[in-house]
Amino acid sequence: IDIRLAQYAGLRQIFEKCFRFLQAMARGNDVVQGRLFDRLDRLLSVHGAEAALADALTEVFTGNQEMCLKIRGYQVQRIVELLALHQLDASEFLDLLKAVVKVEELDLPLKRNQAFVMTYINQNRAKLAWIIEKDAAEKRKRLLKAGDMSDPELSYLLRMVDLLATCAEGENRFIESMCQNIFSIEDLLEILNDPEISIPCKRPYLRFFVWVYLNTAGGKVESGASELDHDDDMWRYMGLLNQSLQKLGNSLKGMERDTKKMQSVRMTLKPGRKKIDTPSRKALEAARQDNERKSSAAGRVLEEGFLTYLFEGVLPFLQVFYTDYYQPEGDQRQMEVKISQALALNLVHISDEISRYVGDENQFRLLRSTVTTLLNQETLELPQEMVTKFQQLSVDVQVDVRSDLMKNYESEFNREEQLNDRLNQFVVNFKKAYEGPNTVRVQIGYPSDTQYCEEDGDEDLPLGKEFQDHLSCFTNRSDGVDKHASKLVEQLFISYSDPDLAKLSEAERLEQERTSVTSLQVLRAMVHNQIMLLPEDDSGRSKAYQRTMERVRLVQDALNAFQSPLKIIPLLSHHNDDIVRETLALLATILYRGNRAVQAGFEYYFLNTREERFFIDVQARLQRSVVATRERRALLAQHRAKVSKSKEMMETLRLKTQGKKAAAKTSLAAAGQVSDEIELKTLEIKEGVHEVEDTSDALRFKDDGYIELILRIMGFMCDGHNRVLQDYLRVQSDNIKSLNLVAETTSYLQLFYGSINEDNVAVVTQVFDTLIEFISGNQENQAVAFDRQLIDAINDVLRLDGLHWKDSSLVGQLKQAALIVLQAMIEENDPQTIRLSKGILETVHIEALYENMQKAFEEARQNPGEDGEDMRLLAFTIHHILLGLQDFGQKHWGKKWLFSYNPTPEQAGADAVLKDDTMSVEILRGEELQKVYFRVKKKAALREEVKEQLKWHISRESPTDKLRDFLEWAQDIRSDISFQQRVRKHRLASMLIAGRVFWYWSLLLLTIALNVFILASWTAPRDFEERLPEVENYFFPVLISLGAIHSLLSLCMLVTFYLSNWNNFVFPTIFYTIFKLETPKKSHSSINWFGLQSMYFVLFLTFSILSLFFDGYFYCFHLFIIVVNNDILGRVLQSITRNGKSLLWVAALMLVIIYVYAIVSFAFLRQSFDRNEGLFCENLGQCFVTSLKYGLLSGGGLGDALRPGTYSFHEPGLKIIFDLSFFIVITVIALNIVFGIIVDTFSELRDEKSRAQADMASVCFICGNPSFEFDKRGEGFDKHVKQEHNIWSYLFFFIHLNSILPNDYTSIEEFVAQKLSSNEIDFFPANRALSLAETEDKNAQELTELKRMMQQLLARQEQEDAEQRRQKERQEHKTWEKRHLHEAHDEEDEAGITAI
């Protein structure tokens, strides 16, 4: 349908009324403005009511900064094309372009939009600018002098000039030069001085004159306005202005009784959009007749729109002229001084009169600053009372500009309005009461007061039981997600893929969008609720955390199984920002903690579908955010410049006034008058009235593109060092167009260079967090980030102090993120990183690193608890970076290289303290040796007895066995240390464990003292049947006192032992067999509940208590405490207990043999047992006991103990066989076997210790290189095993890995963690060390240099030999020539003689 045809005139009128209705709806309504902007492309395609459309859209952008910043270049181009198409029929598009260019609420232009408008106007200049071409000058004059505002051509001309003036605002040199080619200064002054041209027609030209020629970026000379200060045409115009201002003042003064006129003036000055009105001819005729009825010239000034002319053109003109151009020349320019003085007086008078009508604070600021500019001119002599009057002038910016009708309405319905306010407040309160507090406890019933969701943020969720009940319909208890949840995903997929949805009505479409938002929120809440159950302040290693995290992963995997991420990615291109925000939030939640299954889904989606939309959307949002932020920053700079300039002028006026008053006071005092009677007040600039307020809140940074969410999603994609996605985000080789999102993200940091504040710190921190995931372990991404000036951004962060921030912890978090990025850049030791490190060393600010390290260290020292942990971590991070940079510097410039910056003593002190708690390890990754620095939190958690056990009991059969056994020991020790750290959190337990050495030595000394006391005090009783000794009276008090202390110390010793080893106790194997329990894995530190070590401490306490009741008899057993912690005595006991099983079997054999001999003795030798000598054999039992006792104790065996008797001839032979066999079998063989086992065990233990000592002294435990290699080629074996390959450093490194979340691993840490989980040892640097590698590199360089020198010598020798050969050949040739020449002469002589 061509709506422009006559038969569609009715439809065209409907369109016009629709747009007028939308215009009225959009006025001051952000929601309607937003919805109209979302449909801007569709609205610009409507035909038939272009003028009304332009007015409606102008209302969308007027005073709406966000809409002006969001408009795209192609949309501006479309508006210009519509203007070029319709020209005079829709000149309102010029007003629309002006609203797009200038933020009216701030009175500041947008440079980006200025450039858009001027670019597209130039492209359509032939169609648009015909009215301002030079060949149309006569036509313009005719139009201006006619002043017929209903003439479309005049309206188009004025609007075009007004738009060009607006585009030139803000000191845009390029646009200024373009506009200067349109109208010259002479042309403009001719129009401004022409009395036949009306004031409304002059206003755009005056604005053009101000912004194109006077207030310019190029300066007076470049614009050609350098001679304007004394130009006759200029001052003639100033005179006309002076007359008009005088008339205006008189008109305002005589208007006090004319209520209708007062209301008219107020409405004229009312804040709001000003445009070139085009009334009908009938309205103009009525206005002309009304003017003819008015006799006052001043009244005509008001009716002709002079007030609008004054505030939009005259005042800016006067301000810039008297600030930058006017230069008085004393008495030579008296006329200029008089005009200027008259202007000042008239403006002061107008300021006083108009203050009761001004309803816009910006208008009064402009008036005040202009008057201040004039009053600051030194040549002006104004009455002091008038200056003081102006200084004391104030204005209520909330002036009542309501019409009488509105006043009556508000008076009539005041009570209803109050009731509406109360109802609105009730709704807000009821909503909060219905939803409940925003805590996990209230929302999901988990006992935690943590905030449930971020309120009014990008990731907020509906609160209240209703939403949770709705959510429960899609969840279950198994994996947290019900199968019906797939319907939500399908609904979202259909919402953008079903072509039938395009046929929905607007109401149905809005309902569909609300449904999509709710579906996205429900899907996100499934994961979010599980995340909220994670324990707070947990390292991620507790069983509770792992169980909950597993639950989170189950929900994520269930949603991933529905292909949720892949089906909702297209929603990122949706026009509804709420849907885009919820889509991003859902993706971030599903990817939380770098879920591997979801990452694999993204990999498959990207690699198999050649997806480009995601990358295009991300790049577009980043770029739009950059543009919007830069525009806000430009606006803020302009705003602050205006504020600063206004304040400077007011301060100048204040100082000038004070000087005049001081002079007056001095003159009065000299005349003998009492100065106290004259009140001389100085100007006070009052807050909110006389001081220009800094209303820059609207220009603060806003994450309106959800950049933080986008960055978090990309970070989660690469979390866990996903190399595939790291590379794919850098380059999409399978796509038609590849977008480097790594470079885009790094470049985004440049937007905040030098301007990081509390508004944007969250986004900047997220940028660094995302870059950590991008570059960790990926050298190509590191090179890209470095090329995009990443180090400069880090330096900028290091210079940030944040002293005036409300939350200073945000600075620490930002610095930590930035420094981890830097740490990741220098983490590895491959050739590419080595090359990159040189550029980093030349770029990074070393002094700033030291300063931040010292500051963080001092703050951490002032807060020794958990409050200072963040600063402590920051200090260690910087320290490790400095160590890494030092290593790379020495690689480039030699071992003696140091930083050019010399740290202060305080910085060096902090560095030394941090170094004490820092260790390093060398890791073999691929073919490269990597050095890793890490922090050791609590060295005391590793007990000395555990270290001794590992040192002496680890297997040293081969280097491989050593390392494998070390990993097993490390696992046991990690478990022990983890238990120790948990125990030490309790104060009493920590004190007991810390005092275990004190308990030992105290008990040892006290036990010796008690036994010495008993030794000196006991006397044998006279009665042999009496068991208790005779003692003095002082014995029992001393014994009880010392014994009580002894028992207390014994209790402490027992409790300390059980606290320290509780995690290592196990029951005998038979216990688990009987009760059918799973037998725990036996560790190197396992202790049997009923073993000798555990029972010893129980008996120790028991005997200590018994000694109190039995006169100290049991204190003798406590002397065995000397065996505890004594390596020598321990080995003596171990020589018996180590092969205790063998000894028991040998003893059993001896008992069997002795039993056999006892039976023989009972049968044949009973008469040899003399009862009087203690030899009993009345029964077999007595005979066996006697044989056992005397057979072992007698030197000759049992035969030596039995008495000799009288035997027959054959009996002595049998007795000899009996005695000799017993002696040989028991005394000689069996006992020597026992002694041999003990001696051999002791020798074996001694040899093991000797071998261990030799191994520790001659071979590196980690790399297996002999000590002489380091003494010859390195820096010594001692330094190597203590600093480079310290076994305890590797142990603490494994503990360090166990103390952090896997998602926080660096690339090398994750590599080692994977090796440990699979029980592999190839990450240990077998037969390699960095110190030896450096020596090898140095030797290789020396060999290369020697080879080069040898080659040079050989080449030189070959050249010399060749030269000698050439010399010899030349000499032989000369000899040959000489000989043959001589022969030739001889032949000639012979021939001559013959001839003669």
Side-chain angles (χ1 to χ4, degrees):
I1 297 176
D2 188 357
I3 201 171
R4 291 171 294 183
L5 298 177
Q7 58 266 37
Y8 297 113
L11 184 59
R12 186 164 58 249
Q13 292 177 0
I14 292 175
F15 275 22
E16 289 178 354
K17 291 184 179 180
C18 286
F19 285 128
R20 298 302 177 195
F21 175 71
L22 289 174
Q23 177 185 5
M25 289 288 292
R27 184 172 293 125
N29 192 317
D30 293 337
V31 176
V32 177
Q33 290 175 356
R35 290 185 178 178
L36 288 176
F37 180 82
D38 291 339
R39 295 154 180 81
L40 181 59
D41 293 338
R42 293 174 61 187
L43 291 172
L44 291 176
S45 63
V46 175
H47 300 287
E50 284 75 15
L53 169 64
D55 284 339
L57 294 180
T58 303
E59 204 64 55
V60 172
F61 291 97
T62 300
N64 195 323
Q65 172 192 333
E66 297 302 320
M67 299 299 104
C68 293
L69 290 172
K70 280 185 177 181
I71 193 169
R72 309 286 292 278
Y74 75 89
Q75 293 170 331
V76 176
Q77 183 179 17
R78 176 58 181 162
I79 295 172
V80 175
E81 289 173 351
L82 287 174
L83 175 63
L85 178 64
H86 300 283
Q87 295 185 9
L88 301 180
D89 294 334
S91 59
E92 287 81 2
F93 279 115
L94 291 167
D95 290 336
L96 171 57
L97 292 173
K98 180 183 175 183
V100 169
V101 165
K102 188 171 182 179
V103 182
E104 188 170 294
E105 60 179 338
L106 300 173
D107 195 29
L108 295 172
L110 292 170
K111 293 185 180 298
R112 177 186 71 113
N113 294 357
Q114 287 176 324
F116 282 156
V117 170
M118 291 304 297
T119 299
Y120 298 129
I121 285 179
N122 277 332
Q123 292 177 2
N124 297 273
R125 181 160 184 165
K127 296 180 180 179
L128 295 175
W130 54 270
I131 195 68
I132 55 174
E133 296 293 349
K134 292 185 178 180
D135 54 3
E138 293 299 326
K139 185 175 184 179
R140 289 196 299 270
K141 289 182 181 179
R142 186 174 64 256
L143 290 172
L144 291 172
K145 290 183 178 182
D148 185 1
M149 299 302 294
S150 63
D151 189 342
E153 290 186 341
L154 177 60
S155 175
Y156 186 85
L157 170 63
L158 298 180
R159 282 178 166 137
M160 176 61 75
V161 175
D162 202 30
L163 175 62
L164 294 175
T166 304
C167 289
E169 279 191 50
E171 301 182 355
N172 192 318
R173 180 174 297 187
F174 174 72
I175 298 176
E176 289 169 2
S177 62
M178 291 174 58
C179 293
Q180 287 168 5
N181 293 325
I182 298 175
F183 299 124
S184 65
I185 295 177
E186 291 76 12
D187 295 337
L188 295 171
L189 287 176
E190 180 182 357
I191 293 172
L192 294 175
N193 285 322
D194 193 336
E196 298 182 11
I197 298 177
S198 64
I199 286 177
C201 294
K202 289 182 179 180
R203 182 179 63 83
Y205 282 91
L206 181 56
R207 293 189 69 248
F208 189 96
F209 183 40
V210 170
W211 296 112
V212 174
Y213 286 102
L214 299 182
N215 196 357
T216 64
K220 296 185 289 186
V221 176
E222 185 175 335
S223 66
S226 58
E227 302 296 331
L228 283 178
D229 54 340
H230 302 301
D231 186 80
D232 292 339
D233 290 337
M234 173 67 77
W235 286 101
R236 184 156 62 91
Y237 174 65
M238 301 283 276
L240 293 175
L241 279 182
N242 191 31
Q243 295 174 10
S244 299
L245 289 173
Q246 186 176 6
K247 294 176 181 178
L248 176 63
N250 294 333
S251 177
L252 291 172
K253 187 175 181 180
M255 201 171 53
E256 297 176 355
R257 298 181 180 179
D258 193 340
T259 306
K260 184 177 180 180
K261 188 173 292 186
M262 290 174 62
Q263 187 64 29
S264 175
V265 171
R266 285 180 177 175
M267 296 305 296
T268 302
L269 298 176
K270 181 180 178 179
R273 179 167 61 93
K274 305 295 189 300
K275 67 174 185 176
I276 305 295
D277 293 322
T278 56
S280 63
R281 291 184 179 274
K282 184 176 180 180
L284 287 172
E285 182 64 23
R288 189 178 70 256
Q289 293 175 0
D290 185 62
N291 283 336
E292 290 176 353
R293 290 195 300 266
K294 297 182 182 294
S295 57
S296 172
R300 288 197 299 272
V301 171
L302 288 176
E303 295 300 329
E304 290 175 356
F306 186 79
L307 285 177
T308 304
Y309 180 56
L310 173 68
F311 282 100
E312 294 192 9
V314 173
L315 293 180
F317 163 72
L318 292 176
Q319 185 174 358
V320 68
F321 178 78
Y322 279 99
T323 301
D324 299 331
Y325 289 86
Y326 179 61
Q327 296 178 354
E329 298 182 1
D331 297 336
Q332 300 177 5
R333 304 284 181 176
Q334 286 298 322
M335 184 268 295
E336 297 176 3
V337 174
K338 291 180 180 179
I339 294 176
S340 300
Q341 190 163 343
L343 283 172
L345 290 173
N346 288 326
L347 285 175
V348 170
H349 178 64
I350 290 173
S351 300
D352 185 26
E353 296 293 338
I354 209 172
S355 61
R356 68 193 67 160
Y357 307 112
V358 173
D360 187 356
E361 186 180 1
N362 290 329
Q363 291 176 342
F364 185 78
R365 285 179 180 173
L366 177 61
L367 178 60
R368 185 188 60 189
S369 60
T370 305
V371 176
T372 303
T373 302
L374 285 167
L375 295 180
N376 284 333
Q377 302 300 317
E378 297 180 356
T379 58
L380 301 185
E381 295 293 338
L382 299 175
Q384 185 61 37
E385 61 275 9
M386 185 162 290
V387 176
T388 304
K389 182 178 180 181
F390 171 74
Q391 292 169 349
Q392 296 174 347
L393 181 64
S394 63
V395 61
D396 181 4
V397 296
Q398 302 297 331
V399 172
D400 188 2
V401 294
R402 299 173 300 166
S403 64
D404 293 336
L405 182 62
M406 181 59 69
K407 288 180 181 180
N408 294 334
Y409 172 82
E410 293 181 358
S411 175
E412 183 71 22
F413 296 99
N414 182 48
R415 294 184 60 186
E416 285 78 355
E417 291 292 338
Q418 292 178 358
L419 181 60
N420 284 336
D421 293 338
R422 292 180 181 180
L423 286 173
N424 289 332
Q425 187 62 43
F426 171 78
V427 170
V428 173
N429 295 339
F430 184 82
K431 181 175 181 291
K432 291 182 178 180
Y434 180 75
E435 293 176 344
N438 183 18
T439 63
V440 175
R441 186 187 305 276
V442 173
Q443 297 301 321
I444 61 177
Y446 183 74
S448 172
D449 292 326
T450 307
Q451 187 181 32
Y452 174 68
C453 67
E454 178 186 2
E455 291 187 273
D456 299 327
D458 293 342
E459 295 181 273
D460 60 342
L461 284 170
L463 301 178
K465 187 174 182 300
E466 182 180 354
F467 178 74
Q468 296 300 325
D469 291 343
H470 188 190
L471 176 63
S472 65
C473 298
F474 301 94
T475 58
N476 57 41
R477 294 186 177 182
S478 58
D479 59 358
V481 178
D482 190 80
K483 61 181 181 180
H484 294 99
S486 62
K487 304 299 181 182
L488 297 176
V489 180
E490 291 301 321
Q491 186 277 136
L492 292 169
F493 178 73
I494 294 172
S495 69
Y496 66 83
S497 60
D498 190 351
D500 292 338
L501 292 177
K503 303 175 183 178
L504 295 177
S505 64
E506 184 68 12
E508 292 172 334
R509 193 172 62 82
L510 290 175
E511 183 62 28
Q512 174 62 44
E513 290 178 0
R514 285 193 291 269
T515 303
S516 297
V517 170
T518 304
S519 300
L520 291 166
Q521 290 175 337
V522 170
L523 291 170
R524 177 159 62 94
M526 295 178 186
V527 186
H528 180 79
N529 284 2
Q530 299 299 328
I531 294 174
M532 288 295 100
L533 302 182
L534 289 171
E536 300 178 33
D537 301 327
D538 196 289
S539 64
R541 293 293 179 176
S542 68
K543 293 181 179 179
Y545 183 93
Q546 292 177 356
R547 284 196 303 269
T548 309
M549 196 61 214
E550 182 61 29
R551 184 82 175 175
V552 173
R553 281 191 286 269
L554 283 174
V555 179
Q556 291 174 325
D557 293 344
L559 293 179
N560 186 56
F562 300 149
Q563 297 185 331
S564 302
L566 313 183
K567 289 184 176 181
I568 66 173
I569 281 180
L571 289 174
L572 296 177
S573 301
H574 203 280
H575 70 274
N576 189 318
D577 268 3
D578 291 336
I579 292 179
V580 174
R581 183 190 69 246
E582 289 297 334
T583 302
L584 291 170
L586 176 57
L587 289 174
T589 306
I590 296 178
L591 279 163
Y592 179 75
R593 292 292 185 188
N595 186 292
R596 294 289 185 180
V598 181
Q599 288 180 347
F602 273 98
E603 290 177 23
Y604 178 83
Y605 180 64
F606 289 151
L607 297 175
N608 292 277
T609 63
R610 303 182 68 180
E611 165 64 26
E612 294 184 353
R613 183 181 302 173
F614 174 81
F615 300 93
I616 294 173
D617 288 343
V618 170
Q619 185 193 46
R621 285 189 171 272
L622 286 171
Q623 292 177 350
R624 286 201 296 270
S625 178
V626 169
V627 171
T629 304
R630 285 177 177 167
E631 285 298 324
R632 285 195 183 96
R633 194 172 297 162
L635 289 173
L636 184 60
Q638 295 178 59
H639 175 72
R640 288 177 175 172
K642 291 174 64 176
V643 169
S644 177
K645 187 174 182 180
S646 180
K647 288 181 178 180
E648 288 177 3
M649 289 189 297
M650 292 300 296
E651 181 65 15
T652 303
L653 179 60
R654 184 181 68 84
L655 295 175
K656 181 178 178 181
T657 306
Q658 284 181 341
K660 290 183 178 181
K661 290 185 176 182
K665 184 176 180 180
T666 304
S667 63
L668 290 173
Q673 300 180 8
V674 181
S675 60
D676 293 340
E677 295 179 358
I678 301 178
E679 183 180 4
L680 296 174
K681 297 181 180 179
T682 59
L683 174 64
E684 296 180 358
I685 303 177
K686 298 179 181 179
E687 285 288 335
V689 179
H690 292 280
E691 183 179 7
V692 181
E693 297 177 353
D694 187 1
T695 57
S696 58
D697 289 344
L699 302 176
R700 298 168 65 179
F701 174 81
K702 295 179 182 178
D703 186 14
D704 45 12
Y706 313 120
I707 303 302
E708 188 175 354
L709 277 175
I710 291 173
L711 293 171
R712 194 184 310 161
I713 290 169
M714 292 193 294
F716 282 149
M717 283 183 182
C718 303
D719 198 1
H721 311 96
N722 190 318
R723 186 61 184 258
V724 175
L725 288 177
Q726 282 180 337
D727 292 337
Y728 201 81
L729 290 176
R730 184 185 71 254
V731 55
Q732 303 87 50
S733 56
D734 57 338
N735 286 357
I736 298 175
K737 182 179 181 181
S738 178
L739 300 175
N740 191 339
L741 295 186
V742 177
E744 293 287 345
T745 304
T746 311
S747 299
Y748 189 69
L749 278 174
Q750 299 175 6
L751 179 66
F752 306 100
Y753 190 86
S755 61
I756 300 175
N757 51 47
E758 285 184 285
D759 299 325
N760 56 38
V761 65
V763 174
V764 179
T765 303
Q766 185 59 56
V767 173
F768 281 112
D769 287 339
T770 303
L771 286 175
I772 292 170
E773 306 301 338
F774 281 170
I775 70 175
S776 185
N778 193 310
Q779 288 74 24
E780 292 78 8
N781 286 358
Q782 291 174 7
V784 169
F786 180 80
D787 292 339
R788 294 301 179 102
Q789 289 79 44
L790 174 61
I791 306 302
D792 291 338
I794 295 175
N795 289 335
D796 183 47
V797 171
L798 291 175
R799 289 190 290 267
L800 192 66
D801 53 28
L803 294 176
H804 304 292
W805 289 18
K806 295 179 181 178
D807 187 0
S808 58
S809 64
L810 297 175
V811 182
Q813 295 171 10
L814 172 61
K815 290 184 177 181
Q816 180 67 22
L819 289 166
I820 291 177
V821 172
L822 178 58
Q823 194 175 27
M825 297 277 285
I826 61 173
E827 176 187 7
E828 302 198 27
N829 196 35
D830 58 283
Q832 187 171 350
T833 304
I834 293 174
R835 290 192 298 271
L836 191 64
S837 66
K838 191 170 185 180
I840 294 174
L841 281 166
E842 294 171 350
T843 311
V844 72
H845 195 185
I846 301 298
E847 182 179 358
L849 286 172
Y850 271 105
E851 290 173 353
N852 280 274
M853 181 186 69
Q854 181 197 357
K855 183 179 178 181
F857 176 77
E858 294 294 338
E859 291 187 23
R861 189 164 59 179
Q862 294 172 5
N863 300 281
E866 291 295 327
D867 295 338
E869 181 59 26
D870 291 340
M871 288 294 103
R872 199 173 295 110
L873 181 61
L874 178 61
F876 273 103
T877 303
I878 299 175
H879 176 67
H880 297 161
I881 289 172
L882 290 171
L883 291 175
L885 291 174
Q886 181 77 31
D887 292 341
F888 280 113
Q890 292 177 355
K891 284 181 181 294
H892 292 298
W893 298 292
K895 274 286 185 182
K896 296 183 179 180
W897 181 85
L898 296 172
F899 292 123
S900 58
Y901 172 72
N902 188 22
T904 64
E906 292 80 8
Q907 294 169 355
D911 189 70
V913 173
L914 295 171
K915 190 174 183 180
D916 291 339
D917 290 330
T918 294
M919 289 185 172
S920 65
V921 294
E922 293 180 5
I923 302 297
L924 181 62
R925 185 179 185 182
E927 296 298 325
E928 299 293 339
L929 271 179
Q930 315 287 350
K931 191 170 186 178
V932 181
Y933 292 98
F934 63 96
R935 173 191 175 190
V936 181
K937 289 187 177 181
K938 294 182 179 179
K939 294 182 180 179
L942 178 59
R943 297 179 291 160
E944 287 297 326
E945 54 266 32
V946 176
K947 293 175 67 175
E948 290 297 317
Q949 288 178 11
L950 185 148
K951 187 190 300 183
W952 301 112
H953 298 93
I954 196 168
S955 174
R956 297 180 183 270
E957 296 298 326
S958 67
T960 301
D961 292 339
K962 243 190 320 191
L963 295 177
R964 290 197 180 279
D965 197 27
F966 176 63
L967 288 184
E968 294 181 3
W969 273 93
Q971 186 175 358
D972 297 339
I973 294 174
R974 278 187 300 180
S975 176
D976 180 72
I977 289 179
S978 177
F979 174 75
Q980 293 295 321
Q981 290 176 342
R982 292 199 302 270
V983 171
R984 288 171 183 268
K985 291 180 180 180
H986 302 280
R987 186 174 181 182
L988 180 60
S990 179
M991 291 175 60
L992 287 171
I993 294 175
R996 62 181 181 270
V997 177
F998 173 76
W999 312 140
Y1000 169 76
W1001 286 105
S1002 300
L1003 275 173
L1004 177 61
L1005 296 176
L1006 188 56
T1007 299
I1008 294 173
L1010 282 168
N1011 282 277
V1012 171
F1013 175 66
I1014 291 172
L1015 189 65
S1017 303
W1018 277 9
T1019 303
R1022 296 178 182 179
D1023 186 2
F1024 289 101
E1025 298 296 329
E1026 180 64 39
R1027 297 292 180 262
L1028 297 177
E1030 292 182 358
V1031 293
E1032 301 293 337
N1033 294 332
Y1034 63 82
F1035 177 79
F1036 288 105
V1038 175
L1039 179 68
I1040 292 173
S1041 300
L1042 296 179
I1045 298 174
H1046 190 276
S1047 298
L1048 180 62
L1049 293 175
S1050 301
L1051 178 63
C1052 292
M1053 189 81 166
L1054 176 67
V1055 174
T1056 301
F1057 172 74
Y1058 278 96
L1059 279 176
S1060 301
N1061 299 283
W1062 188 266
N1063 199 43
N1064 300 323
F1065 281 112
V1066 294
F1067 288 99
T1069 306
I1070 191 172
F1071 175 86
Y1072 299 99
T1073 304
I1074 294 172
F1075 292 98
K1076 297 181 180 180
L1077 299 175
E1078 182 181 357
T1079 304
K1081 182 181 178 181
K1082 189 175 181 180
S1083 67
H1084 294 88
S1085 54
S1086 296
I1087 301 175
N1088 196 319
W1089 274 104
F1090 304 103
L1092 178 62
Q1093 188 177 8
S1094 56
M1095 295 307 299
Y1096 169 77
F1097 289 99
V1098 175
L1099 292 174
F1100 196 93
L1101 176 61
T1102 304
F1103 287 162
S1104 178
I1105 297 173
L1106 290 175
S1107 296
L1108 293 173
F1109 300 98
F1110 293 96
D1111 293 355
Y1113 265 105
F1114 294 93
Y1115 283 130
C1116 59
F1117 296 103
H1118 293 94
L1119 290 173
F1120 287 107
I1121 196 175
I1122 62 174
V1123 179
V1124 181
N1125 296 332
N1126 189 302
D1127 183 63
I1128 297 175
L1129 296 178
R1131 290 182 182 277
V1132 171
L1133 291 179
Q1134 194 177 3
S1135 65
I1136 301 173
T1137 59
R1138 184 170 185 175
N1139 290 318
K1141 193 174 182 179
S1142 300
L1143 291 174
L1144 288 174
W1145 282 112
V1146 172
L1149 178 62
M1150 291 175 64
L1151 289 174
V1152 171
I1153 295 172
I1154 292 173
Y1155 177 67
V1156 172
Y1157 277 94
I1159 292 177
V1160 173
S1161 299
F1162 179 77
F1164 300 103
L1165 300 174
R1166 286 196 305 275
Q1167 69 276 13
S1168 298
F1169 287 81
D1170 188 356
R1171 183 182 180 87
N1172 295 327
E1173 293 183 4
L1175 300 173
F1176 302 94
C1177 195
E1178 296 177 359
N1179 54 52
L1180 182 59
Q1182 291 181 357
C1183 197
F1184 174 71
V1185 172
T1186 302
S1187 299
L1188 180 63
K1189 174 183 178 182
Y1190 289 98
L1192 294 176
L1193 295 180
S1194 299
L1198 188 59
D1200 192 24
L1202 299 179
R1203 67 182 180 180
T1206 58
Y1207 308 100
S1208 60
F1209 177 77
H1210 64 280
E1211 289 177 345
L1214 296 174
K1215 183 70 165 57
I1216 290 171
I1217 294 173
F1218 177 86
D1219 293 343
L1220 287 176
S1221 63
F1222 187 93
F1223 176 78
I1224 292 171
V1225 173
I1226 299 298
T1227 307
V1228 176
I1229 297 177
L1231 288 178
N1232 282 312
I1233 288 174
V1234 173
F1235 297 148
I1237 290 174
I1238 294 174
V1239 172
D1240 289 346
T1241 302
F1242 187 80
S1243 298
E1244 183 183 351
L1245 291 172
R1246 183 183 60 192
D1247 292 342
E1248 285 181 2
K1249 183 177 181 181
S1250 299
R1251 286 195 300 271
Q1253 288 177 333
D1255 186 74
M1256 288 186 288
S1258 60
V1259 178
C1260 173
F1261 182 91
I1262 300 299
C1263 65
N1265 284 312
S1267 59
F1268 65 83
E1269 289 285 346
F1270 299 98
D1271 294 332
K1272 181 176 70 174
R1273 297 162 56 192
E1275 297 184 16
F1277 183 69
D1278 289 341
K1279 181 180 179 180
H1280 174 73
V1281 297
K1282 290 180 180 179
Q1283 297 182 11
E1284 297 171 356
H1285 286 179
N1286 189 334
I1287 182 175
W1288 310 120
S1289 296
Y1290 282 85
L1291 179 60
F1292 278 112
F1293 181 63
F1294 300 153
I1295 297 170
H1296 165 73
L1297 294 180
N1298 199 49
S1299 65
I1300 58 178
L1301 287 170
N1303 299 82
D1304 296 332
Y1305 284 157
T1306 64
S1307 176
I1308 298 177
E1309 288 173 349
E1310 185 183 27
F1311 169 75
V1312 176
Q1314 290 175 350
K1315 294 294 183 181
L1316 290 175
S1317 63
S1318 58
N1319 202 28
E1320 299 179 29
I1321 61 171
D1322 55 350
F1323 65 90
F1324 284 106
N1327 299 318
R1328 297 185 63 180
L1330 282 175
S1331 56
L1332 296 182
E1334 292 171 358
T1335 305
E1336 291 173 357
D1337 293 341
K1338 184 177 180 181
N1339 293 338
Q1341 292 176 359
E1342 292 177 352
L1343 289 173
T1344 303
E1345 182 65 20
L1346 182 61
K1347 183 178 180 180
R1348 186 184 63 80
M1349 294 174 63
M1350 291 295 297
Q1351 290 175 347
Q1352 289 180 351
L1353 289 174
L1354 289 174
R1356 186 180 300 173
Q1357 184 65 37
E1358 290 176 355
Q1359 290 177 357
E1360 291 178 355
D1361 292 344
E1363 183 64 26
Q1364 289 178 0
R1365 287 195 297 269
R1366 286 194 294 271
Q1367 291 288 346
K1368 185 177 180 180
E1369 290 175 356
R1370 283 196 295 268
Q1371 186 66 32
E1372 290 177 350
H1373 183 68
K1374 288 180 180 179
T1375 303
W1376 181 83
E1377 286 182 345
K1378 186 177 181 180
R1379 185 174 64 251
H1380 283 273
L1381 183 62
H1382 183 71
E1383 291 177 353
H1385 286 314
D1386 290 343
E1387 291 177 355
E1388 289 178 358
D1389 292 343
E1390 291 177 357
I1393 293 173
T1394 303
I1396 292 173

